[in-house]
Amino acid sequence: MAYVSQELRKRVILQPICIRYRLNEKSMHRLLEKLKKDHLNMVKILNLLSLQLDQFFAGEESDFDLKIELLEYLEVYAECEHHPLEDRLYEAAKVRMGGEHELFERLRSQHEVLGQLTKKFRYSLEYIMHDGVMPRDELETQGREFVALQRQHLSLEEQEAFPLLDQVMTPGDWEQVAAEASQHQDPVFDAPDRIRFQLLVDYLEPK
């Protein structure tokens, strides 16, 4: 793995996203707290992926196994746990708002697209790691667009969707979704899976 100083690691990986609207943290439901925590963790993942891509496209040493684990984490947790929870909340909020709501429909559509892009980019990295040939600029375009779209999606949810959920959903709505939600823990940040995500867990541990 390429060496990265602790100072640079902290500055790049732990950089938070900007949130335009503040929620009432005292009254925030635990599900919304969980989603916001997930977003902060995903930003760490995207920052680390960006750092690895910068090194690779600059011709420096770069860890393909680590990059693939980053994408697998997004597939395993973001696509299978985090996004389905958000979709359930968006459906509950739409009922309170009289049915269709363009913002929530757009976010659900983005979840599907991001899932496809995650798999596509992981397949591309695995192809190259196993001696496949792909133009560097094509891979870079895939990587940069993937990270940019992920960040835009998180920002839209933080700035618009989450405050709207907080406004329109009742305590009963939150509890109903909570009762139906998966109880699986984050396999990197909450209950580290050192078999499947050994490189990623080791990299993120404080040194």
Coordinates of all heavy atoms in Angstrom, one line a residue, residues 21 23 32 96-97 160-170 174:
Y21 N -28.7 23.2 5.8 CA -29.8 23.4 6.8 C -29.5 22.5 8.1 O -29.2 21.4 8.0 CB -31.1 23.0 6.2 CG -31.5 23.7 5.0 CD1 -31.6 23.1 3.8 CD2 -31.6 25.1 5.0 CE1 -32.0 23.8 2.6 CE2 -31.9 25.8 3.8 CZ -32.1 25.1 2.7 OH -32.4 25.8 1.5
L23 N -30.7 20.6 11.4 CA -31.8 19.9 11.9 C -31.9 20.1 13.4 O -30.9 20.5 14.0 CB -31.8 18.4 11.6 CG -31.8 18.1 10.1 CD1 -31.5 16.6 10.0 CD2 -33.1 18.4 9.5
L32 N -32.9 8.9 11.7 CA -32.2 10.0 11.0 C -30.8 10.2 11.5 O -29.9 10.5 10.7 CB -33.1 11.3 11.2 CG -32.7 12.4 10.2 CD1 -32.7 12.0 8.8 CD2 -33.7 13.6 10.4
R96 N -47.6 11.4 3.8 CA -47.9 12.6 4.5 C -48.0 13.8 3.6 O -48.6 14.8 4.0 CB -46.8 12.9 5.6 CG -46.8 11.9 6.7 CD -48.0 12.0 7.6 NE -48.1 10.9 8.5 CZ -49.2 10.6 9.3 NH1 -50.3 11.3 9.1 NH2 -49.2 9.6 10.1
M97 N -47.4 13.7 2.4 CA -47.4 14.9 1.5 C -48.4 14.7 0.4 O -48.3 15.4 -0.6 CB -46.0 15.1 1.0 CG -45.0 15.3 2.2 SD -43.3 15.6 1.6 CE -43.4 17.2 0.9
E160 N -31.7 18.8 1.5 CA -33.1 18.9 1.2 C -34.0 17.8 1.8 O -35.0 18.0 2.4 CB -33.3 19.0 -0.3 CG -32.6 20.2 -0.9 CD -33.0 20.4 -2.4 OE1 -34.1 20.0 -2.8 OE2 -32.1 20.9 -3.1
A161 N -33.6 16.5 1.6 CA -34.4 15.4 1.9 C -34.5 15.2 3.4 O -35.7 15.1 4.0 CB -33.9 14.1 1.3
F162 N -33.4 15.2 4.1 CA -33.5 15.0 5.6 C -34.2 16.0 6.3 O -35.0 15.7 7.2 CB -32.1 14.8 6.1 CG -31.4 13.5 5.7 CD1 -32.0 12.6 4.9 CD2 -30.1 13.2 6.2 CE1 -31.4 11.4 4.5 CE2 -29.5 12.0 5.8 CZ -30.1 11.1 5.0
P163 N -34.0 17.3 6.0 CA -34.9 18.3 6.7 C -36.3 18.1 6.4 O -37.2 18.4 7.3 CB -34.3 19.7 6.2 CG -32.9 19.4 5.8 CD -33.0 18.0 5.2
L164 N -36.7 17.7 5.2 CA -38.1 17.5 4.9 C -38.7 16.3 5.6 O -39.8 16.4 6.1 CB -38.2 17.3 3.4 CG -39.6 17.3 2.8 CD1 -40.3 18.6 3.1 CD2 -39.5 17.1 1.3
L165 N -37.9 15.2 5.8 CA -38.3 14.1 6.6 C -38.6 14.5 8.0 O -39.6 14.1 8.6 CB -37.3 13.0 6.6 CG -37.0 12.2 5.3 CD1 -35.9 11.2 5.5 CD2 -38.3 11.5 4.8
D166 N -37.7 15.3 8.5 CA -37.8 15.8 9.9 C -39.1 16.6 10.1 O -39.7 16.6 11.2 CB -36.6 16.6 10.3 CG -36.4 16.8 11.8 OD1 -36.6 15.8 12.5 OD2 -36.0 17.9 12.2
Q167 N -39.5 17.3 9.1 CA -40.7 18.2 9.2 C -42.0 17.5 9.1 O -42.9 17.8 9.8 CB -40.6 19.3 8.1 CG -39.5 20.3 8.3 CD -39.4 21.2 7.1 OE1 -40.3 21.3 6.3 NE2 -38.3 21.9 7.0
V168 N -42.1 16.5 8.2 CA -43.4 16.0 7.8 C -43.7 14.6 8.5 O -44.9 14.3 8.7 CB -43.5 15.8 6.3 CG1 -43.3 17.1 5.6 CG2 -42.6 14.7 5.8
M169 N -42.7 13.9 9.0 CA -43.0 12.6 9.5 C -43.4 12.7 11.0 O -42.8 13.5 11.8 CB -41.8 11.6 9.3 CG -41.6 11.2 7.9 SD -40.3 10.0 7.6 CE -40.9 8.6 8.6
T170 N -44.3 11.9 11.4 CA -44.8 11.8 12.8 C -44.0 10.8 13.6 O -43.3 9.9 13.0 CB -46.3 11.5 12.9 OG1 -46.4 10.1 12.4 CG2 -47.1 12.4 12.0
W174 N -42.0 7.3 12.1 CA -40.7 6.9 12.4 C -40.6 5.5 13.0 O -39.8 4.6 12.6 CB -40.0 7.9 13.3 CG -39.6 9.2 12.7 CD1 -40.2 10.4 12.9 CD2 -38.6 9.4 11.7 NE1 -39.6 11.4 12.1 CE2 -38.6 10.8 11.4 CE3 -37.6 8.6 11.1 CZ2 -37.7 11.4 10.5 CZ3 -36.7 9.2 10.2 CH2 -36.8 10.6 9.9

